[in-house]
Amino acid sequence: MYLLLLLLFFTPVLGALSGTGCTDLTVKTNSTLRFTMNTDFPAEIRLYNISEPLTIDLVPSWDRLKIVNHTVNVTEETEASITLRGELAFLYKVAVHCTDSRGQGELVQELRVEVTRTSQEEVLNRIFGGVLAAFLAIAMLIMGCDLDMRLILGYLKKPVGPSIGLICQFVGMPLIAYTIGYLILSELPAARLGLLLLGSSPGGSASNFWTVLFKGDQNLSVTMTFCSTVASFGMTTFWIFVLGSTIFAKEDGFSIPYLQLFISLISLIVPLMAGMTFAVKKPELASRVGKFSRPFFFIVVLAASVIGIYLNRYFFSLVSWREVVSGLLLGGSGYTLGLILSMLAGLNRSQVIAVSIETAVQNPSIALMVIQTNLHSPYSDIGVVPVVAFLLTATGPPLLTGFISYKAVEFIRNRGSNEDATSELSAIKTTTSSAPNGTALQPVDNIGYTSDANQ
């Protein structure tokens, strides 16, 4: 009797310790789960090592992936037919949950599902990347024609400012971007790569524009832009090779195209050098070409923004707080790092502004171009999200808001000073009109006025 009671008591305990009926379950698919968005994709799930009745439940990581027949009851090795449909291009995970006959369950496996753009949109994406690369090459050529090498060489003779800037841009920002991605975007390797690529891509004329608006040292800004642009093709590739190799695991089935990245970056340096050479040999003609730099840059930015918004219109569906916070932290860290190091180096106020802005305002056009031309969907779709989030939270709108606020405060202060001056002038005129005839007001120790009649 006692033996029977002990057996009844310890049987569930021993069963729990020995594991569930799902422990030996093996799940395999008959093909790679990769298909185009908004299409029905049939798949076969093979289930092995079944020793008792089991309930299999397939749960997607995001509800934008729909699974027909996601719950399957099995008693033996079998193949279960399911249908997948993804509403957005994304890298989904499907958790395979198993529950045995005793009601005990566990997570058995995770399946990767790649949902890509349509072939038409993929072609448009590639065309956009190619056109953007061509426009950037022309912009670099014009930028080379517009550079004043005398100013650049003057700063390079005492390279404190440019050196601080290069340290911030090519050491601080890549490491900060990698750390932020590791802490916040660990579940999205493609987004981590996009953020790292952004943090490793300094340069561009946008930083020069904002430096001028905030009364920074324009010559230092141009010098830093030149130095970072020249160094970027080597340093950006270096950081992507060193840090990017740790982002994707072997099971992700994705490799970073290092050679294509290097070619994409060096293709921007060649036009810059050509423009500088042209400026030396044909200075007058180069000066005329350089006058078109600002309008051309504006057109490039405007066109890239309009087309980019259309091609990445799924951004607001894909973006989460992780990408927004990542972009905000990267920009804020850049401003802070440039500010602290330039102040420690003893730079003046205008130089501090230039270094801070140059450090934080990265070159998203290069990051977008490299992502669009070298990564396929859905990796490219996920990779651009932190780049766009950075643009919206750390550069354009925040800087414009800060500039408007700065001008508003300056206007109020100047208006207050003008009103004080007007009141003082009115008081002087009143005192003059009330003075005795034939007398004049004389200043007394720069404090007040007195009449000649009282002297």
Side-chain angles (χ1 to χ4, degrees), residues 430-451:
T430 302
T431 306
T432 304
S433 60
S434 62
N437 293 334
T439 62
L441 291 177
Q442 301 294 332
V444 178
D445 297 331
N446 294 325
I447 298 176
Y449 291 85
T450 184
S451 171

Side-chain angles (χ1 to χ4, degrees), residues 303-315:
S305 300
V306 173
I307 300 175
I309 288 173
Y310 171 74
L311 292 177
N312 297 288
R313 58 190 180 278
Y314 307 112
F315 165 80

Side-chain angles (χ1 to χ4, degrees), residues 33 41 43 65 94 98 130 146 166 172 198 200 216 227 236-237 258 280 288 301 326 378 404 409 426-427 445:
L33 301 180
F41 180 77
L65 178 66
V94 176
C98 174
D146 194 38
L166 289 176
L198 175 66
S200 306
C227 294
T236 301
T237 308
Y258 297 106
V280 172
R288 296 178 184 176
V301 172
S326 297
I404 293 175
V409 172
S426 300
D445 297 331

Side-chain angles (χ1 to χ4, degrees), residues 8-193:
L8 291 174
F9 176 77
F10 283 106
T11 296
V13 177
L14 293 174
L17 293 175
S18 61
T20 68
C22 304
T23 303
D24 298 327
L25 179 65
T26 302
V27 181
K28 294 183 179 179
T29 59
N30 63 337
S31 62
T32 302
L33 301 180
R34 177 181 171 86
F35 55 94
T36 305
M37 59 185 290
N38 294 323
T39 59
D40 293 331
F41 180 77
E44 298 289 334
I45 305 296
R46 297 179 181 178
L47 306 171
Y48 300 94
N49 301 326
I50 300 174
S51 58
E52 62 179 271
L54 302 174
T55 299
I56 310 299
D57 195 19
L58 305 177
V59 182
S61 58
W62 193 15
D63 60 3
R64 291 303 184 102
L65 178 66
K66 308 298 181 183
I67 304 177
V68 180
N69 300 328
H70 60 84
T71 300
V72 182
N73 296 311
V74 296
T75 57
E76 59 183 8
E77 295 183 1
T78 185
E79 289 188 358
S81 298
I82 62 172
T83 302
L84 303 171
R85 185 182 182 86
E87 298 177 354
L88 290 174
F90 195 68
L91 190 61
Y92 300 88
K93 291 182 179 180
V94 176
V96 182
H97 289 277
C98 174
T99 305
D100 63 15
S101 57
R102 299 185 298 274
Q104 297 177 339
E106 62 178 277
L107 174 63
V108 177
Q109 192 174 336
E110 279 190 340
L111 304 176
R112 291 167 49 83
V113 179
E114 295 184 14
V115 179
T116 67
R117 292 171 177 256
T118 62
S119 56
Q120 294 85 352
E121 289 203 354
E122 190 71 11
V123 170
L124 287 175
N125 215 34
R126 296 287 180 179
I127 292 175
F128 170 68
V131 172
L132 181 59
F135 273 124
L136 285 175
I138 297 173
M140 288 296 177
L141 177 66
I142 297 176
M143 179 180 176
C145 294
D146 194 38
L147 288 176
D148 190 339
M149 289 305 300
R150 292 173 299 177
L151 295 175
I152 294 175
L153 291 175
Y155 257 107
L156 293 180
K157 289 179 180 179
K158 297 180 179 179
V160 178
S163 299
I164 295 297
L166 289 176
I167 292 173
C168 293
Q169 291 173 320
F170 287 115
V171 178
M173 291 298 281
L175 294 177
I176 291 172
Y178 181 81
T179 303
I180 293 173
Y182 178 80
L183 295 176
I184 301 179
L185 302 173
S186 57
E187 297 181 358
L188 298 170
R192 286 182 62 188
L193 179 62

Side-chain angles (χ1 to χ4, degrees), residues 348-365:
N348 60 43
R349 182 176 181 273
S350 63
Q351 292 173 331
V352 170
I353 293 174
V355 173
S356 180
I357 292 177
E358 282 287 336
T359 301
V361 180
Q362 298 296 89
N363 196 338
S365 298

